Amino acid sequence: MPSSKPLMTQSSGPTPASVESALRTLETESGGINALAAALRGPLGETFAKAVDLIRQAKGRVIVTGLGKSGHMARKIAATLASTGTPAFFVHAAEAGHGDLGMITTDDVIMALSWSGEQPEMKNLVNYSARFAIPMIAVTSNAASSLGQAADIVIELPKAREACPHNLAPTTSTLMQAAIGDAIAIALLEGRGFTALEFAHFHPGGKLGAMLKFVRDYMRTGAEIPVKPAGTKMSDAVMEMSAKGLGCVCIVNAAGEAVGIITDGDLRRHMRPDLLTASVDDIMTNQPKTVPPSMLATEMIDVLNTRKITTLVVTEANKVVGIVHLHDLLRAGVA
């Protein structure tokens, strides 16, 4: 019985008010990002570079702090820094005066976020920074504020309009804070030469962790590899393909080196009455694409996509040690 539920179709009528609102929000916030980029091309660029150098030279960690929405952004920035190779953690500005100042050492650098720069709860942390000569970077829209005056370096964000129609709810401002935090993290990452392998150490979980594993973590080995020696009859090769269920068979020479591969596609292209009595040498695709077991899964997927293939032979010292199929990667959540 056909469903009575109406189909969703593209409307040609007026744009809904909620969509108009969303577009205004995005346009306003993009204006803030554009203003920030323009500022970085100007005088703010020199200040930004000094802040990055200060963090890079620090022996300790980056202590990112803030309150309210700025506190939420500070927590996110600390997480981004830590995951990209810059040791960092978040300290709540209000909690700092109730014992959390003990988390901060003289080897650290404090990055304090406050749009107005006039939050009284920040006072204890500011005084602690001054007392123990702990360098402070202020991220604020008001360099003349009490926070800006106390900081060693001030990253003054442009005073862009909030997306809120009343220009009150932190929206554009928090996006700019997050953006400058990302910019600092990536500048440090690139300056340090932080590699994908190092990134993998901090991201072992989820799909990202799966993509940062290696070919050896996904390849089939030993008796699971569909393999036959050169000179084998196609009837035996087809039996091997069917038994291993990967839709291919790797052809090796006497030294165990991959010299060819036969796939389901090869069988279709060479279909003829005497196919099963032919030699694999006449049917195989010569010089199959091989990868090392130490290759990252992300790089392996690029190879599969670029060459439009579903199987890769894994070799080490020219010897076949494994085989990877796209279906295995799909089951693992990598592809």
Side-chain angles (χ1 to χ4, degrees):
M1 207 177 155
S3 172
S4 60
K5 186 176 181 180
L7 295 175
M8 296 296 290
T9 58
Q10 186 173 2
S11 173
S12 59
T15 305
S18 58
V19 175
E20 292 285 5
S21 174
L23 291 171
R24 285 195 299 271
T25 296
L26 293 176
E27 288 168 3
T28 303
E29 292 187 342
S30 65
I33 296 298
N34 290 336
L36 179 57
L40 282 168
R41 294 187 185 98
L44 182 60
E46 183 178 351
T47 303
F48 178 88
K50 288 179 180 178
V52 170
D53 288 341
L54 177 62
I55 294 172
R56 184 183 293 116
Q57 295 166 12
K59 296 178 181 178
R61 306 142 305 172
V62 182
I63 310 302
V64 195
T65 186
L67 286 157
K69 301 300 185 294
S70 294
H72 294 310
M73 293 302 103
R75 191 183 297 274
K76 186 271 178 192
I77 291 170
T80 300
L81 286 168
S83 70
T84 52
T86 300
F89 66 87
F90 169 75
V91 170
H92 193 284
E95 295 292 338
H98 297 275
D100 286 359
L101 288 173
M103 299 179 181
I104 308 172
T105 75
T106 54
D107 289 332
D108 297 334
V109 173
I110 297 171
M111 183 188 301
L113 276 66
S114 172
W115 189 249
S116 68
E118 296 295 350
Q119 291 167 315
E121 296 93 340
M122 198 81 76
K123 184 177 180 181
N124 288 326
L125 201 147
V126 169
N127 291 341
Y128 188 82
S129 167
R131 185 180 307 122
F132 294 99
I134 301 170
M136 176 181 287
I137 301 167
V139 180
T140 179
S141 68
N142 185 7
S145 64
S146 55
L147 177 64
Q149 293 294 316
D152 297 274
I153 296 174
V154 181
I155 296 178
E156 187 173 22
L157 303 179
K159 293 180 175 66
R161 180 177 177 81
E162 302 288 9
C164 166
H166 310 297
N167 197 27
L168 294 173
T171 46
T172 307
S173 57
T174 52
L175 182 62
M176 292 166 68
Q177 289 173 332
I180 201 69
D182 287 344
I184 290 171
I186 300 305
L188 289 165
L189 177 154
E190 292 178 343
R192 188 181 295 108
F194 192 71
T195 67
L197 288 176
E198 292 174 290
F199 196 79
H201 296 321
F202 302 126
H203 297 80
K207 181 171 182 178
L208 185 56
M211 294 179 69
L212 290 171
K213 289 184 179 179
F214 301 93
V215 169
R216 61 172 168 265
D217 297 315
Y218 299 106
M219 69 184 189
R220 301 195 185 197
T221 60
E224 293 183 301
I225 306 173
V227 61
K228 282 293 179 181
T232 299
K233 283 186 178 182
M234 279 299 299
S235 56
D236 292 336
V238 171
M239 291 275 291
E240 180 75 353
M241 289 176 64
S242 299
K244 301 301 170 62
L246 292 178
C248 67
V249 59
C250 181
I251 309 303
V252 298
N253 60 19
E257 300 167 336
V259 294
I261 191 169
I262 299 174
T263 67
D264 290 333
D266 292 318
L267 294 182
R268 290 190 295 271
R269 283 187 290 273
H270 292 86
M271 188 62 65
R272 61 192 194 220
D274 66 339
L275 175 63
L276 295 181
T277 59
S279 169
V280 294
D281 303 62
D282 300 326
I283 306 299
M284 70 185 186
T285 298
N286 294 307
Q287 298 179 329
K289 177 60 182 177
T290 64
V291 294
S294 58
M295 176 182 279
L296 279 172
T298 49
E299 297 172 318
M300 171 177 56
I301 292 169
D302 285 341
V303 173
L304 289 169
N305 290 333
T306 301
R307 298 179 72 95
K308 295 180 172 60
I309 56 179
T310 58
T311 307
L312 283 171
V313 178
V314 185
T315 60
E316 195 166 32
N318 297 323
K319 303 290 180 65
V320 175
V321 295
I323 193 162
V324 178
H325 196 279
L326 179 62
H327 290 168
D328 295 327
L329 302 177
L330 288 170
R331 279 191 289 271
V334 180

